[in-house]
């Protein structure tokens, strides 16, 4: 079964989300507090996607995201935010979320986002069993891991997809739209800003000095380049 966690403290919103996801073929697990959500994930390690409301009594959705991500790099995480401003702080996505949806959202939009993330977190059928080696980096496309100087760097599935795209196109300027389409898919309904947020997070992981990036360089007014 395709398991999705829905964390939302407002009963009517949670039911609305659950009904729509069930209709789309998902097996939903529900939680109304952050603490409960962490417990549900502990008991159901096969949950592939988690929808996390931000504003909650007790620990908030960002904290749940951070804790989930600390033990599980693979789970797909979508934040449900009340206002766009919450995400402008960027801190939300910096905690490790893959995507966010702003309330109020339509059932179609939400389902499309979950579908897209679910597909990505499942991994592609791997035909290539290769490695891409660009010192100091080594990308293993079979087990989807990245090493820098022999040290494993923990990546989310989305971050892995971005790095793979870069390493397959070394030295090539990639537009933000190109990155969005390659990683999030043509059907992605969100904003291109998600690319910048993921790049910012990736820089913290791969750069020697994230404030002065040497590997992921900015191509002003266009996008990014893997600087080899
Ligand atoms: Ca709430």
């Amino acid at each position: 079964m395709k398991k999705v966690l829905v964390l939302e403290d407002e009963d009517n919103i949670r039911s609305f989300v659950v009904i729509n996801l069930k209709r789309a073929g998902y097996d939903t697990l529900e939680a109304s507090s952050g603490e409960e959500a962490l417990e549900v994930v502990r008991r159901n390690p096969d949950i592939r996607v988690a929808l996390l409301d931000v504003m909650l009594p007790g620990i908030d959705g960002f904290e749940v995201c951070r804790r989930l991500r600390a033990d599980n790099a693979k789970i797909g995480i979508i934040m449900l935010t009340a206002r766009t401003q919450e995400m402008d702080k960027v801190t939300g996505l910096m905690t490790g979320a893959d995507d966010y949806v702003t309330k109020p959202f339509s059932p179609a939009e939400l389902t499309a986002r979950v579908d897209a993330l679910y597909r990505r977190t499942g991994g592609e059928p791997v035909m290539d069993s290769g490695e891409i080696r660009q010192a100091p980096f080594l990308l293993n496309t079979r087990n989807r891991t990245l090493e820098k100087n022999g040290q494993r760097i923990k990546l989310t599935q989305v971050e892995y997809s971005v790095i793979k795209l870069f390493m397959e196109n070394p030295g090539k300027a990639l537009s933000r739209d190109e990155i969005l389409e390659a990683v999030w898919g043509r059907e992605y309904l969100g904003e291109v800003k998600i690319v910048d947020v993921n790049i910012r997070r990736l820089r913290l992981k791969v750069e020697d000095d994230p404030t002065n990036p040497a590997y992921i360089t900015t191509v002003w007014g266009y996008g990014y380049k893997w600087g080899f």
Side-chain angles (χ1 to χ4, degrees):
M1 273 303 262
K2 306 197 291 181
K3 282 194 186 176
V4 175
L5 168 75
V6 181
L7 165 59
E8 168 63 68
D9 60 315
E10 284 168 63
D11 295 344
N12 54 343
I13 300 180
R14 194 175 63 249
S15 318
F16 169 80
V17 169
V18 163
I19 286 167
N20 283 288
L21 289 176
K22 281 189 171 154
R23 203 171 280 160
Y26 289 98
D27 180 13
T28 52
L29 292 115
E30 301 179 41
S32 56
S33 73
E35 291 82 354
E36 189 186 355
L38 293 169
E39 185 52 37
V40 169
V41 173
R42 236 190 318 273
R43 284 198 312 266
N44 297 274
D46 54 340
I47 291 175
R48 287 251 298 273
V49 172
L51 300 180
L52 308 178
D53 182 32
V54 174
M55 303 295 281
L56 298 164
I59 59 171
D60 71 8
F62 293 145
E63 182 57 26
V64 174
C65 176
R66 200 174 295 121
R67 293 193 197 175
L68 285 181
R69 196 53 97 201
D71 326 321
N72 185 344
K74 306 275 181 203
I75 193 168
I77 298 176
I78 300 175
M79 305 305 299
L80 304 178
T81 76
R83 287 165 287 121
T84 324
Q85 294 94 291
E86 283 177 4
M87 280 341 260
D88 286 344
K89 290 188 223 151
V90 173
T91 49
L93 291 168
M94 296 303 281
T95 61
D98 297 296
D99 199 357
Y100 65 94
V101 178
T102 308
K103 297 176 190 171
F105 43 77
S106 72
E109 182 187 5
L110 184 73
T111 308
R113 299 288 191 90
V114 174
D115 286 346
L117 191 54
Y118 190 86
R119 267 197 304 279
R120 283 204 309 276
T121 56
E124 308 110 39
V126 187
M127 301 308 288
D128 60 327
S129 57
E131 290 181 341
I132 305 178
R133 196 180 289 272
Q134 285 159 9
F137 297 102
L138 171 64
L139 187 79
N140 185 317
T141 56
R142 192 174 358 176
N143 48 26
R144 301 165 71 85
T145 55
L146 178 71
E147 289 178 9
K148 180 182 179 187
N149 293 319
Q151 299 283 100
R152 173 79 65 89
I153 295 176
K154 273 177 112 183
L155 298 178
T156 66
Q157 294 293 327
V158 168
E159 290 164 352
Y160 167 82
S161 303
V162 174
I163 282 288
K164 179 163 180 277
L165 178 69
F166 277 139
M167 291 183 74
E168 287 169 344
N169 295 280
K172 185 181 176 220
L174 298 167
S175 74
R176 295 151 88 230
D177 286 322
E178 233 173 313
I179 298 169
L180 189 72
E181 185 171 324
V183 174
W184 280 264
R186 206 181 285 269
E187 71 282 5
Y188 183 74
L189 298 166
E191 298 164 60
V192 76
K193 193 167 68 176
I194 192 92
V195 173
D196 304 317
V197 172
N198 272 273
I199 297 286
R200 203 174 312 187
R201 204 164 63 201
L202 264 174
R203 280 175 169 159
L204 293 174
K205 296 186 177 186
V206 306
E207 296 287 350
D208 302 327
D209 174 8
T211 58
N212 188 16
Y215 303 115
I216 305 174
T217 52
T218 301
V219 182
W220 293 107
Y222 186 71
Y224 299 96
K225 188 174 80 168
W226 185 242
F228 281 84

